[in-house]
Amino acid sequence: MTAQLIDGNAIAQKVRDEVKEKVAKRIAVGKSQPGLATVLVGERVDSATYVSMKQKACADLGMTSYHHPVPADITQADLEKLIKELNADPKVHGILVQLPLPSHLDEERVLQLISIEKDVDGFSPINLGRLAQKGREPLFVPCTPYGCIYLLKEAGVTIKGANAVVLGRSNIVGMPAALLLVKEDATVTVVHSRTKDIPAVLRQADIVIAAIGRAEMVRGDWLKPGAAVIDVGINGIPKLDAEGKQMISAKTGKPMQRLVGDVNFEEAKEVAGFITPVPGGVGPMTIAMLMNNTFRAAEIQEP
Ligand code: NDP
């Protein structure tokens, strides 16, 4: 292996320790405990797992979480009413609506309702717009892209002047990651499903942020030797035994899966200069940055 592994677990722990210390100091001077409201619509297992990890992180860092599980068939009006109540609640400094929402709900409208000072996910058009504008700063940077940039900096990767390629242009990962890289003075190319000859584009990249949701699509020979590779993808693929047969869970009787990123790690680690693993790379950073944003939200609302 030639690449240096970027340990997301260790770096996320460092961020969490710093947030914990800042929270303790805030409480010690008599200010309120930062509070995060989590809204979980329906019973998707993955969404419920993410929300419970966020609640646990709040408890670990001395913050309060207020959990609002609501049924999958909640009406748009009732969900909007809940968001408005949370906007008005002074104990709640940050509001997190776990995505995706069931298809009958208008996600955009719900996200737009969250007041900008409580938009700890950074998904509101105002926060994203500010990220895109020169000389303006968003109140909150979306957690996953924020985590990606943080990992690059911690690894000592030079962003200024680098050729960066972001794979994916979603509102929550690809596009804000590209905007952040521009702010850091990288020269940025955004690749998407209509891009021609992706391998040729990638071979020019000193920095790659992959966020497309396609298991192991980026091959080792698509990378420039020495590139820094941040793999955001989380994809479940069949877990096979030593003979190549699908493994079945003894507990559930269901086919087992293992998680891989958007990058073929085994190939890429022989070419890249730096690489994040999946799991244990970007994933833990997302929650750490959410905690940082929630602390910041409390400081903005009750300085
Ligand atoms: P989306 O599905 O919203 O966006 C995917 C993007 O990838 C789109 O811009 C799409 O292009 C592009 N794309 C899809 N297929 C291809 C292809 N074959 N070639 C080139 N571009 C392609 O995904 P998200 O941004 O929400 O998530 C991306 C990945 O990151 C997922 O695996 C997700 O699970 C993971 N993720 C991980 C997080 C973490 O904490 N680690 C947090 C959030 C997401 P187009 O716009 O043209 O359709």
Side-chain angles (χ1 to χ4, degrees), residues 239-254:
K239 189 171 182 178
L240 307 177
D241 64 16
E243 288 159 14
K245 286 199 203 116
Q246 168 73 63
M247 292 174 75
I248 304 293
S249 163
K251 210 166 145 194
T252 64
K254 290 188 178 158

Side-chain angles (χ1 to χ4, degrees), residues 234-303:
I234 303 177
N235 310 290
I237 61 167
K239 189 171 182 178
L240 307 177
D241 64 16
E243 288 159 14
K245 286 199 203 116
Q246 168 73 63
M247 292 174 75
I248 304 293
S249 163
K251 210 166 145 194
T252 64
K254 290 188 178 158
M256 291 172 76
Q257 291 204 322
R258 68 184 179 94
L259 292 183
V260 296
D262 291 340
V263 177
N264 184 315
F265 182 82
E266 289 306 314
E267 293 177 6
K269 74 182 182 9
E270 303 301 334
V271 185
F274 298 87
I275 192 165
T276 57
V278 176
V282 176
M285 290 305 291
T286 298
I287 294 184
M289 292 331 212
L290 175 70
M291 296 298 109
N292 194 50
N293 279 354
T294 304
F295 170 76
R296 199 172 131 73
E299 291 279 290
I300 290 169
Q301 288 159 63
E302 295 175 59

Side-chain angles (χ1 to χ4, degrees), residues 194-216:
R194 305 286 185 271
T195 303
K196 288 179 188 150
D197 199 355
I198 295 174
V201 177
L202 273 187
R203 282 187 200 110
Q204 307 298 316
D206 305 306
I207 294 172
V208 175
I209 296 184
I212 45 178
R214 298 275 178 266
E216 300 181 317

Side-chain angles (χ1 to χ4, degrees), residues 26-78:
R26 178 180 163 86
I27 292 168
V29 296
K31 292 185 195 166
S32 63
Q33 205 173 20
L36 175 70
T38 54
V39 178
L40 176 64
V41 182
E43 288 166 4
R44 272 180 69 123
V45 178
D46 55 347
S47 293
T49 307
Y50 291 137
V51 168
S52 74
M53 285 163 78
K54 290 164 188 174
Q55 289 173 274
K56 183 175 178 309
C58 282
D60 289 349
L61 273 50
M63 303 199 260
T64 314
S65 62
Y66 305 94
H67 187 40
H68 295 270
V70 297
D73 61 358
I74 188 171
T75 62
Q76 179 80 20
D78 284 348

Side-chain angles (χ1 to χ4, degrees), residues 55-244:
Q55 289 173 274
K56 183 175 178 309
C58 282
D60 289 349
L61 273 50
M63 303 199 260
T64 314
S65 62
Y66 305 94
H67 187 40
H68 295 270
V70 297
D73 61 358
I74 188 171
T75 62
Q76 179 80 20
D78 284 348
L79 184 56
E80 289 186 8
K81 186 165 163 273
L82 172 61
I83 302 295
K84 284 180 191 157
E85 283 165 11
L86 297 174
N87 278 342
D89 184 344
K91 295 191 302 302
V92 169
H93 300 104
I95 301 172
L96 177 133
V97 177
Q98 188 65 42
L99 302 178
L101 296 179
S103 55
H104 70 280
L105 295 168
D106 184 341
E107 204 165 276
E108 260 327 288
R109 273 184 60 131
V110 172
L111 295 181
Q112 281 189 33
L113 259 190
I114 298 174
S115 77
I116 179 163
E117 311 81 50
K118 299 194 178 188
D119 175 33
V120 285
D121 253 340
F123 293 159
S124 87
I126 298 176
N127 269 322
L128 282 175
R130 285 190 183 174
L131 192 59
Q133 287 177 322
K134 197 173 172 165
R136 299 223 174 139
E137 294 297 329
L139 285 182
F140 304 104
V141 175
C143 304
T144 302
Y146 190 7
C148 294
I149 304 299
Y150 199 94
L151 288 175
L152 287 169
K153 288 186 175 174
E154 282 289 307
V157 174
T158 306
I159 305 177
K160 195 184 182 103
N163 277 336
V165 173
V166 179
L167 286 122
R169 56 177 166 181
S170 72
N171 288 340
I172 64 170
V173 192
M175 197 47 81
L179 294 170
L180 279 171
L181 286 165
V182 170
K183 268 210 190 309
E184 295 287 337
D185 293 330
T187 303
V188 183
T189 306
V190 179
V191 165
H192 47 76
S193 64
R194 305 286 185 271
T195 303
K196 288 179 188 150
D197 199 355
I198 295 174
V201 177
L202 273 187
R203 282 187 200 110
Q204 307 298 316
D206 305 306
I207 294 172
V208 175
I209 296 184
I212 45 178
R214 298 275 178 266
E216 300 181 317
M217 190 180 103
V218 177
R219 309 301 302 258
D221 65 359
W222 297 13
L223 297 171
K224 178 175 173 179
V229 179
I230 306 291
D231 191 351
V232 184
I234 303 177
N235 310 290
I237 61 167
K239 189 171 182 178
L240 307 177
D241 64 16
E243 288 159 14

